Amino acid sequence: MVEKRKAEKQQPAGPVSAVAALAARRARQQQAQSAQAPNDVPQVVPEAEPPSKKPRPSLEGFESTETNGNRRDARNRATKKHEPLAAVMMAKRPVGATRSPKSEPEPELDVTPERAQNEESGQEHAEDAQEMNEDDVASVVGDPDGYESPAETPAELQNFPLSKARLNKSNIVYSDENTLCIRIKERTNLALLGHYDLWVKRGVVSLMGAKLHPSSQLHRVYAPSTHSLPVIKCVAGVDGDAEVEIKSCNSGIARLRDLSPLYQKIWTGDNTVADKITLKGVAKESKRTFSVLYTSADDSLNRHLRPLHLDKKWSASMKALSQREGRLRVLICGPKASGKSTFCRYLLNHVLSPTPETENGYINADGVAFLDLDPGQPEFAPMGQVYLARLRSPFFGPPFTHPSLDDSQGGEIVRAHHIGATSPKEDPDHYALAVMDLMDQYRLLLEKHPQCPLIINYPGWIFGQGLEVATWLVRSLGLSDVVYMSEKGPTEVVDPLGRAANEARVPLTILPSQPTDFVSRSSAQLRAMQIQSYFHMSHPADLTTSLWSDTPLSRTRPLTVNYAGARQGILGIMVMGSQIDPDLLHETLEGSIVGVVTVESSKAIMGEMATSQTSNHEDHEDIDMDTANPGADIAAELAMTNCIARTPENLPYLFLGSGSCTPLDPKASNCLGLALVRSIDTTSHKLELSTPIPPSHLQSALEKGHGIVLVRGQIDNPNWAISEEYYAARAAERRYQQSTSGSKKTGDSGIEQSHELDSSEHNRTLALLRERVRRASNVPWMTVVEDNSRVHREAAARRDKSLWKLRKKAYPGSESEADY
């Protein structure tokens, strides 16, 4: 009381306003409430506003709302899990969600003290955060694999509506353990999770921008939890409804979960309420490859599931663009994470929809040309490439479900160029030359298919030099439309883009962006999933769909190529981005991803130094095939110019330029795909390559007399390939233990059979499986952490101070945000 009276005496005299009195009274009430509040209620601690030098991006969701007690609980939950984990695999925490006092506390992010200090500094550190490597994303404590922790999300965010339709006896036509045929009323929809074949039997339904009419065609749909779920919507029905059949499929893509944790928990979980209704009368353990979900709360794995809906302006723009039919030449551009890839995917499907003649009299028999200029997240090719593709049918699924179009009946790659990086800013000149060549290829394509429209996907490199390239494309490509995917500008981008469009007399359409608030995989992880899917996918000639193999690359038969001698199979090896000493080429090449590029003439390598002299040497052969002297003329010209340097291992090092290798000329080269250099045998001068490139493509290039060059770029290291054998060994041990856990097992007929297991045989088999796990965990460049708790991670970091990782928080619009 004495201190209070002293404080009152020190206050200045004068009248006190009613507003000030009310504010003081409210402050005292808040203090009293906070004093009586229980300790376990999370308190929001506002962050101090950093000094503003430049407009910095929003960092919503960064405020800590956890008390010490909640953090201890999260740490205790984490330490209870001791699942082994191969290091290097990280994931992004969902951001952008608001929390209520009743919701569960969010899991704690493991951020190093250096990163915490950077976040409190100012704009310089915020800009540094945007330039960080996307591999260095903070893992979520509480999940041993560090990818997503759905159990920690607020309850109100889980119960999100997905489907308007409800299944009952009146709309279920027939169903069994693999098939579900249902009727969907007009203006209602149904969301499914998993992968399945869709057959439209009656009415018209829309799916990912495509309008599907009744036909005998089956549409393969992939709907993983990593992306927004596609919605089947009835747009026109017979007697008020449409009838569709949904059937399980076994493509093998789900088995990739045994090779990488990135593929775990992305497909179906336990049967939902709707599944149980349609599975009545069948075996209890029956499980389809798809599940019907009414709300996100139906998911047994409690993941962030959202339906894939379009903005009304997006739908109107797609309808207007599709009306241009064969005259369509549209460029889609915008900032990162604005929805460019989603818009392109929807527009492609909309134009490729097999509409009957009765609608508008137009039939798209020439397909659609898709010019993908985003080497970081391409749609139909692995990373590091720009390409021109001609598509003939819609595609339903994210990019890692169609990472290539080799021998695919849905389309083919007309021409591709290996950029060797995930961003065009590494070499803008080479990027521009590649774009010019692809446009020339499109003009040649029009001679055979005059009604083939063109859709161009431009990367999020829209500032600075990227803006200059974009405006140059608008002025020079002869476009019909330009679409910019952001209504928020900025003006320094929109104004130059608008002026370029006015000069070219091209309309500019500005659409709102649709960034995602919840992501379970970062951009780097999605790239790893796509390239791993690329190396494990095949296109059988007798099937219309793709298949995936769950065999680790280390257990597959490699392609053996001679790199020196009389039967040399490659012209040379190039390294893009930096100069490599010939003595270090062996270490740089082994275990890396390389582009397999065919060289049509020596001009692709020598440029202006190319000579007109040719010599028919018969000392060179490619890849041990029976083709006589492929690439001999090109090899002879290169031998005359002395542009091939032999390393101590006799590797043919192609080096031209000052400081770094000059890239191959796009006018005289074509990328066939990627390959993994498994090993280099210096005694026999052989390379062992793992590649999904069809042998027919290699044979065709060799028959034309083209040479083959391996190009080492700056794309992500194949960490996924190093850990495949380890995860496959763990999966084999886990399956065996599950199969022998009981004294009875269920046979193929579904009837329980007695099963007496010999203990000695069981122990011997289990020992062999565990020995495989041990051998697989003891490989270079991989560290297996048996306990992924924060305490053990910090202890490992202190032991190994020579290596460090900067873990950062992901926020919408950052470099680590997935560019959908």
Side-chain angles (χ1 to χ4, degrees):
M1 293 297 294
V2 175
E3 294 178 356
K4 182 178 179 181
R5 290 174 182 174
K6 290 182 179 180
E8 292 176 351
K9 291 180 180 180
Q10 293 175 358
Q11 292 178 355
V16 180
S17 64
V19 177
L22 180 60
R25 184 165 59 252
R26 288 181 177 177
R28 289 193 297 269
Q29 293 176 355
Q30 291 176 359
Q31 293 177 359
Q33 292 177 359
S34 61
Q36 298 176 0
N39 295 330
D40 56 350
V41 176
Q43 301 294 327
V44 178
V45 181
E47 290 185 351
E49 184 178 357
S52 59
K53 297 181 180 180
K54 298 179 182 179
R56 78 179 276 176
S58 173
L59 302 179
E60 292 183 3
F62 278 14
E63 290 81 7
S64 175
T65 58
E66 299 174 328
T67 60
N68 294 332
N70 291 332
R71 291 174 179 171
R72 285 194 299 269
D73 294 340
R75 189 177 298 109
N76 292 335
R77 289 193 301 269
T79 55
K80 291 180 181 179
K81 300 182 179 181
H82 301 280
E83 188 74 15
L85 173 70
V88 190
M89 306 295 183
M90 296 293 174
K92 182 185 298 183
R93 168 194 186 184
V95 296
T98 57
R99 299 183 56 196
S100 65
K102 296 181 180 180
S103 62
E104 296 182 7
E106 295 184 1
E108 181 183 358
L109 288 177
D110 183 14
V111 184
T112 59
E114 293 84 358
R115 174 59 180 163
Q117 183 179 0
N118 289 343
E119 291 177 353
E120 298 173 359
S121 301
Q123 176 61 22
E124 295 88 356
H125 301 289
E127 293 177 353
D128 293 339
Q130 294 181 357
E131 296 297 329
M132 292 176 190
N133 189 346
E134 293 174 350
D135 284 324
D136 303 333
V137 184
S139 62
V140 178
V141 177
D143 189 340
D145 291 329
Y147 294 105
E148 56 182 337
S149 184
E152 303 297 333
T153 55
E156 66 270 20
L157 294 178
Q158 291 293 327
N159 194 10
F160 195 90
L162 299 176
S163 304
K164 291 183 180 179
R166 294 294 186 269
L167 301 184
N168 49 50
K169 294 182 179 180
S170 62
N171 54 22
I172 299 176
V173 182
Y174 55 85
S175 64
D176 56 32
E177 57 186 5
N178 294 317
T179 309
L180 172 62
C181 184
I182 56 176
R183 299 187 185 97
I184 306 176
K185 294 183 179 180
E186 292 183 359
R187 298 182 180 181
T188 60
N189 55 39
L190 200 67
L192 288 85
L193 174 69
H195 45 105
Y196 52 91
D197 288 326
L198 178 67
W199 176 27
V200 181
K201 303 178 66 175
R202 186 177 65 180
V204 181
V205 300
S206 65
L207 178 66
M208 293 186 67
K211 286 186 178 180
L212 305 180
H213 294 256
S215 67
S216 59
Q217 183 179 2
L218 293 179
H219 304 279
R220 178 64 56 86
V221 183
Y222 299 95
S225 64
T226 54
H227 295 69
S228 300
L229 300 182
V231 177
I232 304 174
K233 182 179 180 180
C234 176
V235 295
V238 179
D239 297 332
D241 55 25
E243 185 175 325
V244 297
E245 181 185 279
I246 307 167
K247 191 176 184 65
S248 295
C249 61
N250 295 315
S251 61
I253 192 172
R255 292 195 295 269
L256 293 181
R257 65 177 179 270
D258 293 340
L259 301 179
S260 172
L262 293 173
Y263 280 96
Q264 293 178 3
K265 299 181 181 180
I266 67 172
W267 302 109
T268 57
D270 297 336
N271 287 329
T272 63
V273 176
D275 295 335
K276 294 177 181 178
I277 294 176
T278 61
L279 288 173
K280 287 184 177 180
V282 299
K284 293 183 179 180
E285 59 274 4
S286 297
K287 188 74 182 70
R288 303 190 184 106
T289 61
F290 63 90
S291 291
V292 180
L293 294 94
Y294 299 149
T295 67
S296 57
D298 295 339
D299 181 29
S300 61
L301 300 178
N302 298 327
R303 292 165 290 189
H304 285 293
L305 301 179
R306 296 293 182 269
L308 210 166
H309 287 307
L310 290 187
D311 187 273
K312 292 183 179 179
K313 293 183 180 180
W314 281 32
S315 301
S317 178
M318 290 180 187
K319 185 176 181 180
L321 292 173
S322 61
Q323 291 176 353
R324 300 188 183 276
E325 300 174 351
R327 303 183 303 275
L328 178 65
R329 314 280 190 273
V330 58
L331 172 68
I332 314 297
C333 60
K336 293 185 178 182
S338 59
K340 299 184 300 298
S341 299
T342 303
F343 186 86
C344 289
R345 197 176 301 130
Y346 265 66
L347 182 59
L348 274 172
N349 290 340
H350 190 74
V351 180
L352 285 168
S353 297
T355 55
E357 297 183 23
T358 55
E359 256 193 33
N360 54 11
Y362 170 73
I363 300 178
N364 184 7
D366 292 335
V368 177
F370 182 58
L371 180 55
D372 197 344
L373 303 181
D374 187 358
Q377 293 178 333
E379 185 73 23
F380 299 102
M383 60 181 174
Q385 295 187 32
V386 293
Y387 61 92
L388 174 67
R390 176 175 169 263
L391 307 175
R392 293 184 291 269
S393 61
F395 286 82
F396 305 105
F400 68 80
T401 62
H402 45 253
S404 70
L405 295 176
D406 295 333
D407 296 338
S408 173
Q409 298 186 7
E412 72 275 352
I413 300 292
V414 178
R415 194 173 181 87
H417 296 301
H418 188 65
I419 301 299
T422 58
S423 175
K425 63 184 178 181
E426 301 296 335
D427 193 344
D429 295 335
H430 181 224
Y431 178 78
L433 292 175
V435 174
M436 293 173 61
D437 179 71
L438 294 177
M439 281 302 300
D440 292 339
Q441 295 296 323
Y442 171 69
R443 296 183 182 97
L444 295 176
L445 183 66
L446 287 178
E447 297 178 0
K448 298 181 180 179
H449 306 281
Q451 295 297 320
C452 184
L454 175 65
I455 299 175
I456 305 174
N457 179 31
Y458 191 74
W461 184 50
I462 198 64
F463 298 96
Q465 197 170 14
L467 178 61
E468 297 179 5
V469 176
T471 54
W472 170 75
L473 293 177
V474 173
R475 293 187 180 97
S476 60
L477 295 186
L479 304 174
S480 65
D481 295 271
V482 177
V483 177
Y484 183 73
M485 304 294 298
S486 177
E487 290 182 337
K488 298 181 180 180
T491 56
E492 57 265 25
V493 173
V494 178
D495 291 346
L497 202 61
R499 288 194 296 268
N502 290 333
E503 294 177 8
R505 296 183 179 180
V506 178
L508 173 63
T509 304
I510 299 179
L511 297 178
S513 61
Q514 282 193 248
T516 179
D517 290 334
F518 302 100
V519 290
S520 59
R521 302 292 185 272
S522 67
S523 295
Q525 290 169 340
L526 290 175
R527 289 198 301 266
M529 294 176 69
Q530 185 169 357
I531 195 170
Q532 188 172 21
S533 173
Y534 169 77
F535 274 91
H536 287 272
M537 189 181 71
S538 62
H539 299 278
D542 55 344
L543 296 179
T544 59
T545 57
S546 306
L547 292 179
W548 281 266
S549 170
D550 61 345
T551 303
L553 291 185
S554 60
R555 291 178 174 263
T556 59
R557 183 177 180 180
L559 176 67
T560 303
V561 183
N562 293 308
Y563 65 81
R567 299 178 61 85
Q568 180 175 337
I570 58 174
L571 288 179
I573 302 167
M574 297 186 67
V575 179
M576 297 178 62
S578 60
Q579 182 180 5
I580 298 296
D581 189 271
D583 295 340
L584 300 178
L585 182 61
H586 179 274
E587 288 76 10
T588 304
L589 188 64
E590 192 170 27
S592 64
I593 298 291
V594 295
V596 181
V597 183
T598 60
V599 177
E600 300 166 356
S601 71
S602 60
K603 294 181 180 180
I605 299 175
M606 296 183 294
E608 298 297 331
M609 297 176 58
T611 62
S612 59
Q613 301 178 359
T614 58
S615 176
N616 295 326
H617 289 190
E618 298 185 0
D619 297 331
H620 302 275
E621 290 185 10
D622 287 272
I623 313 184
D624 278 342
M625 296 185 180
D626 295 331
T627 306
N629 304 325
D633 294 342
I634 303 175
E637 292 187 27
L638 296 179
M640 296 175 61
T641 59
N642 296 323
C643 63
I644 298 180
R646 289 289 177 174
T647 67
E649 297 83 8
N650 210 16
L651 290 168
Y653 184 21
L654 276 173
F655 178 79
L656 280 177
S658 56
S660 62
C661 288
T662 302
L664 297 174
D665 188 355
K667 293 184 179 180
S669 62
N670 179 36
C671 183
L672 299 180
L674 300 182
L676 173 65
V677 182
R678 291 175 47 168
S679 66
I680 302 176
D681 191 344
T682 58
T683 57
S684 61
H685 295 169
K686 292 182 181 295
L687 293 174
E688 286 191 354
L689 304 177
S690 293
T691 177
I693 301 175
S696 59
H697 291 195
L698 294 171
Q699 182 70 26
S700 176
L702 298 177
E703 290 176 353
K704 295 177 182 178
H706 299 168
I708 294 180
V709 174
L710 303 182
V711 181
R712 170 72 160 94
Q714 299 177 344
I715 58 179
D716 301 341
N717 292 325
N719 299 324
W720 52 270
I722 298 173
S723 58
E724 275 188 351
E725 174 63 22
Y726 170 75
Y727 287 116
R730 279 181 51 194
E733 180 189 5
R734 183 171 59 252
R735 286 194 300 268
Y736 179 75
Q737 289 181 340
Q738 292 175 352
S739 64
T740 59
S741 58
S743 59
K744 293 184 179 181
K745 70 174 184 178
T746 303
D748 296 336
S749 60
I751 304 175
E752 287 190 350
Q753 303 171 354
S754 60
H755 178 64
E756 297 295 336
L757 186 65
D758 186 3
S759 59
S760 60
E761 180 183 356
H762 169 71
N763 294 333
R764 182 168 56 255
T765 304
L766 190 60
L768 291 175
L769 291 174
R770 289 177 177 174
E771 175 63 17
R772 179 187 174 187
V773 174
R774 188 195 66 80
R775 291 169 60 91
S777 62
N778 188 21
V779 296
W781 305 299
M782 186 182 75
T783 301
V784 177
V785 181
E786 297 295 336
D787 189 349
N788 194 39
S789 64
R790 181 178 181 181
V791 176
H792 287 257
R793 289 201 306 270
E794 291 178 350
R798 288 192 298 269
R799 289 193 304 268
D800 191 2
K801 295 183 179 180
S802 61
L803 298 177
W804 59 274
K805 268 185 173 293
L806 184 60
R807 296 188 172 98
K808 65 177 181 178
K809 297 179 180 178
Y811 56 91
S814 69
E815 291 263 346
S816 61
E817 186 76 1
D819 187 10
Y820 295 109

